[in-house]
Amino acid sequence: MGALLLANAGKHFRDPGFYRDVVPGYLCRQDPAPDPNAGDTSQGSPTPGMPTEASPIQSSPPLSSTGAGAAAQHPWALLSREEWIAVSGLLELAAAVGILLPPTRKLTATAITAMFTAFLAGHVDALVRAYGPQGTPRRRKIHAVRLPLQAPLILWAWSLRTRALPARKPGGQG
């Protein structure tokens, strides 16, 4: 589990696009679009709203617009999509370390179970969107596989709680 979490944490920073679809839109802060009149924007950046290989279609559109182009924010929209990906990568890195240290193993296994369970919302959201109007056959396949993989990960993390600390024999020997 430690090796899996460490590899996955590294992937968050090497290939953050892999995780874009599983961050629900309602968690993502809707930053205001750059002002097109504020200078030269032709520095190789893609046209807003147009997907590129490096930046796929935005997973969820803004919830609503209220005058002057400002997007309504969901109360949980604290971070941008990229920030959520980085934070979850850091959490997985911390979990990789914590699961390897015997004194913190049981607490970390419980936290990993909760983390994988929380990630279910993103996987369900991604699967629903994959079957929506902007979904593609490729995304349907990817998310149809990713969602059920969460169940064995959750069970595995939970099972590590019971094997966290070996029992000590009376008299200090063990």
Side-chain angles (χ1 to χ4, degrees):
M1 176 67 77
L4 175 73
L5 288 165
L6 187 60
N8 209 29
K11 188 166 179 69
H12 276 77
F13 298 100
R14 283 188 320 276
D15 183 15
F18 183 75
Y19 300 96
R20 281 188 66 77
D21 283 351
V22 293
V23 180
Y26 58 83
L27 289 180
C28 299
R29 185 180 63 232
Q30 300 296 327
D31 292 332
D35 184 0
N37 299 323
D40 183 17
T41 59
S42 62
Q43 299 174 7
S45 58
T47 305
M50 295 300 295
T52 64
E53 189 67 345
S55 64
I57 295 172
Q58 187 75 0
S59 295
S60 297
L63 295 173
S64 68
S65 294
T66 56
Q73 298 288 331
H74 190 282
W76 295 346
L78 304 174
L79 304 172
S80 70
R81 188 171 308 277
E82 290 72 24
E83 290 167 341
W84 278 116
I85 293 168
V87 165
S88 62
L90 291 172
L91 287 172
E92 289 188 9
L93 178 61
V97 172
I99 203 73
L100 296 174
L101 301 173
T104 61
R105 192 167 295 145
K106 186 171 185 171
L107 177 62
T108 302
T110 304
I112 293 168
T113 303
M115 179 177 70
F116 286 156
T117 302
F119 288 173
L120 279 172
H123 288 285
V124 169
D125 186 62
L127 186 61
V128 167
R129 281 184 282 103
Y131 279 91
Q134 292 183 330
T136 63
R138 180 176 180 268
R139 284 194 171 142
R140 289 180 190 115
K141 288 177 191 172
I142 289 169
H143 297 299
V145 169
R146 282 174 94 169
L147 176 61
L149 286 176
Q150 289 302 109
L153 288 173
I154 292 167
L155 293 172
W156 183 18
W158 185 256
S159 76
L160 295 174
R161 296 177 69 253
T162 58
R163 293 185 265 145
L165 295 173
R168 290 186 172 224
K169 293 181 181 179
Q173 298 187 6

